[in-house]
Amino acid sequence: MAELKFIKPELNKRTSACCGPAESMLQYANESSVSASLPVLKKNRKAYVTGSLMTDTGAVPVISTDITRSDYWEHVKCRASAFRNTYTIDPGLYAVGSPDKNSDVLVSANYKLSFDALRKALKGISAWILALDTKGINVWCAAGKGTFGTDELIRRISITKLDKVVSHRKIIVPQLGAPGISAHKVLKASGFRVCYGPVRAEDIGPYIASEYMATGEMRTVTFPFIDRLILTPMEINPAMKKYYPWFALITLAVFGLQPGGIFFRGALFGGLPFLLLGLISIFAGALVTPALLPFIPFRSFAVKGWITGMLLVIFSAGFAEIFNQVNTILLIFTYLFFPLASSYIALQFTGSTTFTGMSGVKKELRIGIPLYIGGLILSGLLLSAYKLQQWGVL
Amino acid sequence: MKYLKNVASLEVDIDACTGCGVCIEVCPHNVLAVEKRKVVILDKDRCMECGACAGNCAFGALRVDKGVGCAAALINSIISGGEPSCDCSGSNKSACC
Ligand code: SF4
Ligand code: SF4
């Protein structure tokens, strides 16, 4: 397939703001032994590998820039499930198009979603992709953990003998990887100059075309509605698995336990509105709050979650007239417990955002955790009081 | 979108700064700028403490408590007593994808 050669060799020699001209050409040792360190071309070849390219250091898999339907299906599964460990690719060097010694080297993670975003953005471009071993975690998170880091980058450059594959001494690292990388240390240890590319993979083309100048916009992280929505299954899943079964169990027990024994009918009819309210508070904290994040007042996630939870509880309680004949203790319990649950769940979303810092979350937790624990104890006391009242003790 | 006011731990050592501008390039939230060949903080509340600027300043002119702004990670670290880490792969709390 004749790929359009987007990157002309001379482009690399021009000076740009972040990267000087490629350093002096190296002499090439003409070894053509297939290096075991390169990504193995397994018999069960991955669908995105379309062939292989011989280099001075051995064969490099050539990958497609098309995202197939099975790739998309993987993306959906990956977003929806909590176990994303299988969505990895082999770390190492890959080729896109027909790159040569002057072609750009783009660094990525061995997480399928990051890798797919990059190869999709490279349509019509010939380049090398160096996938670091980030244990199948995306660039941004891996950089925070340090697996997308200076040491791994230096190691991967040396394992893949990158200095023999390309003649220049420049690598393009996604800007989101910057928290894990110290560019000056990489330069010192490997001789490769790190250039930080744009934040979003789709800006790679324009970035290369504009001679490696990223605009301010390309450098800034945003957090649009769609991105926030995509991440909500990550919040709903653990909340449903971790907290809801306990909550349901306790609710059914409270309403089922009658003076004359355990009654299933009582459990179901008395408990049902509360089971629904439990779902509503998860919905409020894990879906509504993230989706409407910028429109909910206050900066604190806990407060945002509480407000959303409270509004939804009031709304649904009023709407369904659940509480027409409900007693006062249960009413207090409802307005205490469910907004707090929503608040706690919303606070967990700080892990998915692109703008919350550790000091801020620590501050929220310092104030929030005593309130959550206090609220939980009080809720327990209220439920006990309700039971005692029902049994005629109070 | 900004997070809490006045909590970010970002600090600048003006004397060490050479005005090279690397930190501006890596910052994802446009927190920093160079004015008169020295770095300035434009808006500290935008800083998410990712540590990119400090890690890439060859002159050690920036300091920030780098860490994950993730409630689940911090709660886990309180419970287990370990370092907070955004453990996306192992546990069922998956903060990032
Ligand atoms: S990277 Fe360091 S030396 Fe360069 S402008 Fe920023 S603070 Fe100053
Ligand atoms: S820690 Fe991150 S967000 Fe804060 S100033 Fe540095 S690069 Fe910007």
Side-chain angles (χ1 to χ4, degrees):
Chain A
M1 191 171 49
E3 286 275 6
L4 173 72
K5 281 283 289 205
F6 198 93
I7 307 149
K8 305 239 172 56
E10 59 267 25
L11 204 58
N12 282 321
K13 291 187 189 134
R14 291 197 197 137
T15 321
S16 81
C18 102
C19 312
E23 255 123 83
S24 61
M25 296 277 203
L26 279 188
Q27 290 291 79
Y28 288 91
N30 224 351
E31 314 153 323
S32 55
S33 62
V34 177
S35 164
S37 55
L38 292 168
V40 203
L41 297 173
K42 288 180 191 143
K43 277 187 215 84
N44 56 340
R45 219 170 59 174
K46 303 286 195 324
Y48 50 82
V49 177
T50 56
S52 70
L53 188 79
M54 249 354 236
T55 69
D56 292 344
T57 60
V60 173
V62 178
I63 55 165
S64 148
T65 55
D66 294 322
I67 307 295
T68 61
R69 198 179 293 177
S70 81
D71 288 325
Y72 279 124
W73 178 231
E74 265 188 19
H75 296 181
V76 172
K77 281 195 293 186
C78 165
R79 292 288 185 205
S81 84
F83 305 99
R84 302 181 315 300
N85 309 26
T86 49
Y87 302 103
T88 62
I89 53 154
D90 297 324
L93 195 63
Y94 293 86
V96 177
S98 42
D100 59 20
K101 290 191 157 116
N102 295 307
S103 299
D104 285 314
V105 180
L106 300 156
V107 180
S108 182
N110 77 327
Y111 174 53
K112 185 90 186 342
L113 247 64
S114 309
F115 186 71
D116 281 356
L118 180 57
R119 67 192 176 92
K120 188 176 154 200
L122 289 176
K123 204 172 271 296
I125 298 176
S126 287
W128 304 100
I129 295 181
L130 185 66
L132 302 191
D133 185 3
T134 59
K135 313 275 179 267
I137 290 170
N138 70 47
V139 172
W140 173 255
C141 283
K145 283 167 93 90
T147 45
F148 188 102
T150 308
D151 294 343
E152 164 63 12
L153 180 56
I154 294 168
R155 207 167 65 93
R156 202 54 58 185
I157 288 173
S158 107
I159 293 177
T160 54
K161 302 198 179 72
L162 193 63
D163 57 340
K164 299 210 170 63
V165 177
V166 292
S167 56
H168 59 81
R169 288 293 170 267
K170 176 179 109 181
I171 43 173
I172 300 172
V173 173
Q175 191 195 325
L176 291 185
I181 306 277
S182 289
H184 51 283
K185 288 184 189 151
V186 175
L187 178 65
K188 220 168 169 185
S190 70
F192 277 87
R193 189 186 298 273
V194 171
C195 290
Y196 288 107
V199 162
R200 284 164 292 271
E202 68 250 33
D203 288 336
I204 274 282
Y207 167 77
I208 293 175
S210 65
E211 298 178 22
Y212 314 102
M213 293 290 276
T215 60
E217 204 178 299
M218 286 186 198
R219 292 240 173 271
T220 314
V221 169
T222 53
F223 199 35
F225 179 75
I226 273 296
D227 288 11
R228 298 197 301 270
L229 214 56
I230 283 173
L231 291 164
T232 54
M234 295 288 161
E235 305 301 314
I236 296 170
N237 253 344
M240 287 302 284
K241 279 191 210 136
K242 249 183 16 203
Y243 308 120
Y244 198 68
W246 291 106
F247 168 78
L249 203 72
I250 291 169
T251 308
L252 292 178
V254 164
F255 288 96
L257 219 60
Q258 303 290 341
I262 295 174
F263 288 99
F264 190 66
R265 261 180 66 92
L268 212 58
F269 285 101
L272 202 60
F274 293 91
L275 291 182
L276 285 177
L277 282 170
L279 288 180
I280 286 167
S281 50
I282 290 179
F283 176 73
L287 199 138
V288 180
T289 310
L292 301 181
L293 206 57
F295 310 109
I296 304 168
F298 300 101
R299 291 188 181 185
S300 151
F301 277 53
V303 175
K304 281 177 193 281
W306 189 86
I307 292 174
T308 322
M310 195 53 153
L311 287 177
L312 278 183
V313 167
I314 290 172
F315 179 76
S316 42
F319 201 75
E321 295 185 10
I322 292 168
F323 299 106
N324 268 355
Q325 323 87 344
V326 158
N327 88 9
T328 329
I329 296 179
L330 282 184
L331 216 58
I332 299 170
F333 165 79
T334 301
Y335 288 111
L336 171 75
F337 180 79
F338 294 107
L340 267 190
S342 165
S343 162
Y344 181 81
I345 294 166
L347 190 51
Q348 309 297 308
F349 193 65
T350 49
S352 291
T353 65
T354 53
F355 64 98
T356 53
M358 183 168 73
S359 302
V361 177
K362 275 189 174 160
K363 187 177 174 187
E364 291 218 51
L365 289 175
R366 229 179 2 253
I367 303 166
I369 286 187
L371 289 177
Y372 293 133
I373 293 176
L376 202 62
I377 294 172
L378 204 59
S379 302
L381 289 177
L382 283 169
L383 281 186
S384 320
Y386 165 70
K387 282 324 282 184
L388 293 177
Q389 186 194 44
Q390 203 186 22
W391 289 347
V393 182
L394 270 180
Chain B
M1 270 173 272
K2 288 188 205 175
Y3 198 37
L4 304 189
K5 273 192 192 113
N6 280 325
V7 288
S9 54
L10 181 67
E11 277 168 23
V12 172
D13 176 357
I14 281 295
D15 297 332
C17 175
T18 61
C20 71
V22 168
C23 54
I24 295 158
E25 205 163 273
V26 294
C27 177
H29 287 294
N30 191 23
V31 175
L32 303 159
V34 169
E35 275 167 23
K36 300 199 188 95
R37 319 200 56 202
K38 290 286 178 193
V39 69
V40 289
I41 298 177
L42 293 178
D43 185 352
K44 204 161 159 171
D45 293 346
R46 283 204 297 255
C47 174
M48 63 169 301
E49 304 181 314
C50 69
C53 55
N56 283 283
C57 175
F59 307 96
L62 291 163
R63 205 201 62 79
V64 64
D65 280 338
K66 178 184 169 179
V68 287
C70 170
L74 292 167
I75 292 170
N76 283 343
S77 86
I78 294 169
I79 294 168
S80 68
E83 274 286 293
S85 99
C86 162
D87 209 352
C88 311
S89 44
S91 73
N92 57 353
K93 167 63 201 168
S94 32
C96 29
C97 186

